[in-house]
Amino acid sequence: MKRRKIPGILVMMLMIPTWIFGQSYFLQGSATNTGPDCYQLTPAIGTQTGAVWYASPLDLTQPFNIAFEIGLGAFDVNGADGIMFVLQTDGTNAIGQSGGGLGFLGFNTAFGVEFDTWQNGQYGDPVFDHIGCVSDGSVDHNAASAFGGPVALIAGNANGEDGQNHIGQIIWDPATQLVSVLFDCDLRLTQQVDLIGEVFGGVSEVFWGFTGSTGGSYNVQTVCLQENSLTTPPEITLCPGDSIQLNVVGSPGGSYQWSPPVYLSDPSIPNPWCTPESTTTYTVSYTGLCGDAIAT
């Protein structure tokens, strides 16, 4: 399988509100916690809907790169329905409809990336497991609220319900208004979307998380995030004496090198604590989640 890599440069200017990257989640519906930052969205039972929401909102004026492990279950022919990565303004109690609604159908103002494992013809689904970008609480690929896809989840393979965990990645670049979706390190979909202006009506801070559902057919569907799943914003303002935990999403066993090493607790880890005494620009070279070298 041909893989496309997203090169990246992370440059941070720390100038003399602190950003804290501890993760806290709210579970809704059938979702349960299965370990540190790991969640089962649905059990292998029909007509289930689960959601997990991050406590702190995302700022869409800043880029983000969220990587996660996703499990779509082991039942292929009779497996359903899929998982969605969701941005929304309904709050941490939000939950959508089950079955083909993927826990997203019925939201008010929202954007979603679906990892769909069931063909719902009324929504324009293809026969193969697929990825698509949708909005406004609709999963209809033929609606005006749909943005990109559907495209095959795995190139040359109709099935993603193989009992394995896969690597998912959602990248947002506000400068170009591009949403990029990777699955097992393969770039599957890139779509230009005016998230702030068109989707969220000028609102730049939104809640984020994952939803999943089952219907007449079902699967155990899971998602796991890294301990610190969000990259640090490119520019941060700190008060003198304050600290910030820098973070990049990379391979758990990879190498990391921050430069300059001054004011850092450890320049060779993905998430060092930084206590700058003056304005400082940091760069980092590291091993990406897919094993690729990301150089500054």
Side-chain angles (χ1 to χ4, degrees):
M1 177 176 67
K2 183 178 180 181
R3 292 181 175 178
R4 289 169 157 182
K5 296 173 182 175
I6 303 293
I9 297 176
L10 185 64
V11 178
M12 277 159 240
M13 178 169 280
L14 303 187
M15 297 180 295
I16 310 279
T18 300
W19 298 60
I20 302 298
F21 288 91
Q23 290 176 176
S24 178
Y25 291 87
F26 292 91
L27 303 179
Q28 303 298 336
S30 61
T32 57
N33 178 255
T34 58
D37 291 320
C38 284
Y39 304 90
Q40 179 181 282
L41 295 172
T42 65
I45 300 173
T47 320
Q48 300 291 297
T49 307
V52 54
W53 303 114
Y54 184 57
S56 298
L58 277 176
D59 181 358
L60 296 179
T61 67
Q62 301 293 331
F64 65 73
N65 182 341
I66 298 177
F68 47 92
E69 286 189 353
I70 184 173
L72 296 168
F75 303 143
D76 178 15
V77 176
N78 294 314
D81 269 86
I83 290 174
M84 290 193 70
F85 169 82
V86 179
L87 306 174
Q88 49 90 1
T89 57
D90 286 0
T92 54
N93 292 323
I95 193 165
Q97 297 179 24
S98 63
L102 295 173
F104 179 79
L105 183 64
F107 276 48
N108 291 316
T109 304
F111 175 83
V113 176
E114 60 173 32
F115 301 88
D116 195 330
T117 60
W118 186 266
Q119 184 184 21
N120 289 282
Q122 72 272 31
Y123 299 139
D125 287 349
V127 66
F128 47 81
D129 295 345
H130 56 278
I131 292 171
C133 294
V134 293
S135 68
D136 293 345
S138 170
V139 293
D140 189 345
H141 296 293
N142 297 319
S145 55
F147 282 98
V151 300
L153 188 70
I154 304 171
N157 186 347
N159 177 43
E161 301 153 295
D162 53 11
Q164 304 297 314
N165 284 336
H166 297 269
I167 298 173
Q169 200 167 356
I170 311 292
I171 301 171
W172 162 244
D173 183 353
T176 59
Q177 296 186 336
L178 287 179
V179 175
S180 299
V181 185
L182 290 85
F183 194 81
D184 284 341
C185 306
D186 186 24
L187 180 62
R188 302 303 302 140
L189 182 63
T190 298
Q191 184 65 38
Q192 189 167 41
V193 184
D194 182 0
L195 286 178
I196 296 175
E198 183 177 355
V199 177
F200 292 106
V203 174
S204 61
E205 288 197 349
V206 298
F207 294 99
W208 70 278
F210 297 86
T211 65
S213 69
T214 65
S217 295
Y218 44 78
N219 256 316
V220 173
Q221 299 176 121
T222 61
V223 63
C224 289
L225 291 103
Q226 294 184 342
E227 182 180 357
N228 291 288
S229 62
L230 294 176
T231 54
T232 309
E235 186 173 294
I236 305 166
T237 301
L238 295 178
C239 296
D242 281 350
S243 297
I244 182 70
Q245 189 174 22
L246 307 181
N247 187 58
V248 292
V249 177
S251 170
S255 61
Y256 303 84
Q257 189 59 53
W258 294 86
S259 180
V262 294
Y263 310 130
L264 299 180
S265 61
D266 186 341
S268 62
I269 61 176
N271 52 352
W273 282 93
C274 179
T275 309
E277 297 179 3
S278 61
T279 299
T280 307
T281 299
Y282 289 95
T283 59
V284 60
S285 299
Y286 62 102
T287 304
L289 191 68
C290 300
D292 50 323
I294 299 179
T296 60

